[in-house]
Amino acid sequence: MVLVISLEKAQLPNQGGDFYKTLGGGVWMAPAVDRDTHTVFFVVGNPSPDLYGVERPGDNLYTDSMVAIDLNTGAYKWHYQYVAHDVWDLDAVSPVILTEARDKSGQMRKVAIHGGKTGHVYVHDRATGELIRFSEAMVPQEAMWSLPTKTGARMLPGANGGVEWSPMAFSPKTRLVYAANLHQPMTYHVEEAQYPGGKLWLGGAFKVIPGEKQWGRLAAVNVDTGKLAWKVDTEQPLIGGVLATAGGLVFNGEGNGYFRAFDASTGKKLWEYQAGAGVNAPAVSYMVHGKQYVAVAAGGNTQLDFKRGNSVVVFALP
């Protein structure tokens, strides 16, 4: 059974003009909360200006970092910075997942994991922030730390990832974390730029390279080893998010409108549905009267210019 709900006439609650002005163009990622230790974990975006680092000497803490704070007091507990003094727009943006993983000695530890725009999955000790491991690269990497130039320096995976915003999913049954990745080669161009008074402050530009193929990759990574278990490449870059179910399925959407289900252990495609617009949101699963449903939004994406839509599509599992 498939149910399509149009959001064209949906009304947002009247919160007042100031509420919407406050939201502006920003994006917020929900933090992860450990209720046993009363700890909140979140990731932090990149410093500004993005490319012109002269204006902000030093490591620029706590940008490009995972940060843990006390839930009750807001007191700092620990941080781990992935990229110090970032001039590549490799900010930490994919939400943190709390789970368990084996350390190098084989002991199971409580961990916080993050999918980076660098193309790695990072596994941290939840109590201390210690980096237990980072995964094999999920996408090609090339000249990653070459500094931007006036004429443009080529770098992979580019400013959009790796894992760009898209929430990952984890299955304790397979021990795999599933990540939607982008491969989008870019050149980085830097220029002197003073603060423009509340406007976008890049200090240059990052540009896709004409003629170079852009594509996506759904990757499954073993959290206990950091090894890639399987990968599925797609015609378009992936942005949106992943769902893993206890029934051994992984769901992921694409900008071309397809919503697909894969075998969680092997990556074999099992099913697909054409939603009519970019499926660039993470799916959710829920139960009603003992029956399982999977729902996903088909709204498209402006960042990668995927076809816009206004529907929520709901599927009933047999």
Side-chain angles (χ1 to χ4, degrees):
M1 181 180 75
V2 181
L3 173 65
V4 180
I5 304 170
S6 174
L7 301 181
E8 184 174 1
K9 296 183 180 180
Q11 296 295 314
L12 292 173
N14 184 12
Q15 301 285 352
D18 289 341
F19 173 79
Y20 292 106
K21 289 177 183 176
T22 301
L23 287 181
V27 179
W28 290 264
M29 284 294 169
V33 179
D34 185 335
R35 291 186 290 181
D36 292 334
T37 62
H38 299 277
T39 306
V40 176
F41 305 83
F42 58 90
V43 287
V44 184
N46 57 283
S48 290
D50 291 45
L51 304 170
Y52 184 56
V54 175
E55 285 286 323
R56 45 177 177 83
D59 289 347
N60 306 140
L61 290 176
Y62 297 90
T63 60
D64 292 49
S65 300
M66 184 187 293
V67 179
I69 64 172
D70 186 280
L71 175 63
N72 298 318
T73 67
Y76 166 91
K77 287 193 171 184
W78 58 258
H79 79 278
Y80 187 93
Q81 189 173 44
Y82 299 107
V83 183
H85 192 77
D86 180 13
V87 292
W88 305 274
D89 199 77
L90 293 177
D91 42 326
V93 288
S94 182
V96 177
I97 296 176
L98 302 183
T99 184
E100 294 184 343
R102 298 192 183 278
D103 62 18
K104 295 175 182 178
S105 66
Q107 295 295 113
M108 194 68 79
R109 292 161 70 173
K110 291 185 176 182
V111 297
I113 63 177
H114 164 65
K117 289 172 72 173
T118 57
H120 299 291
V121 173
Y122 298 90
V123 181
H124 299 270
D125 182 275
R126 208 185 298 180
T128 66
E130 172 198 352
L131 181 63
I132 296 173
R133 68 177 54 86
F134 61 91
S135 73
E136 296 177 325
M138 294 181 286
V139 290
Q141 297 173 330
E142 180 182 324
M144 279 192 64
W145 311 119
S146 296
L147 293 176
T149 65
K150 289 185 177 182
T151 56
R154 186 178 187 276
M155 194 276 274
L156 297 177
N160 283 337
V163 184
E164 165 73 303
W165 303 106
S166 306
M168 301 189 301
F170 174 69
S171 170
K173 290 188 174 182
T174 62
R175 308 298 303 156
L176 300 177
V177 61
Y178 306 94
N181 287 267
L182 299 92
H183 171 79
Q184 197 173 32
M186 290 184 171
T187 52
Y188 284 76
H189 305 254
V190 68
E191 62 183 26
E192 183 176 346
Q194 303 302 313
Y195 180 58
K199 298 178 182 179
L200 183 64
W201 194 22
L202 292 179
F206 26 83
K207 302 178 181 179
V208 295
I209 303 173
E212 289 209 32
K213 177 87 173 154
Q214 303 177 34
W215 43 265
R217 175 169 290 167
L218 180 63
V221 173
N222 188 307
V223 295
D224 298 323
T225 65
K227 301 294 185 182
L228 259 66
W230 55 260
K231 60 187 179 182
V232 174
D233 289 351
T234 61
E235 283 294 315
Q236 296 171 300
L238 291 180
I239 189 167
V242 189
L243 167 70
T245 72
L249 299 177
V250 169
F251 291 90
N252 183 67
E254 299 180 30
N256 56 18
Y258 278 104
F259 183 52
R260 294 186 165 113
F262 302 87
D263 184 289
S265 296
T266 67
K268 179 183 178 182
K269 186 178 75 174
L270 303 175
W271 168 89
E272 65 182 22
Y273 176 83
Q274 174 54 249
V279 183
N280 302 119
V284 296
S285 181
Y286 56 94
M287 301 284 288
V288 177
H289 302 306
K291 193 170 187 64
Q292 186 176 7
Y293 297 85
V294 172
V296 71
N301 179 269
T302 57
Q303 182 173 342
L304 299 179
D305 198 27
F306 293 142
K307 184 180 178 181
R308 273 36 135 223
N310 56 9
S311 299
V312 173
V313 189
V314 183
F315 306 88
L317 272 65

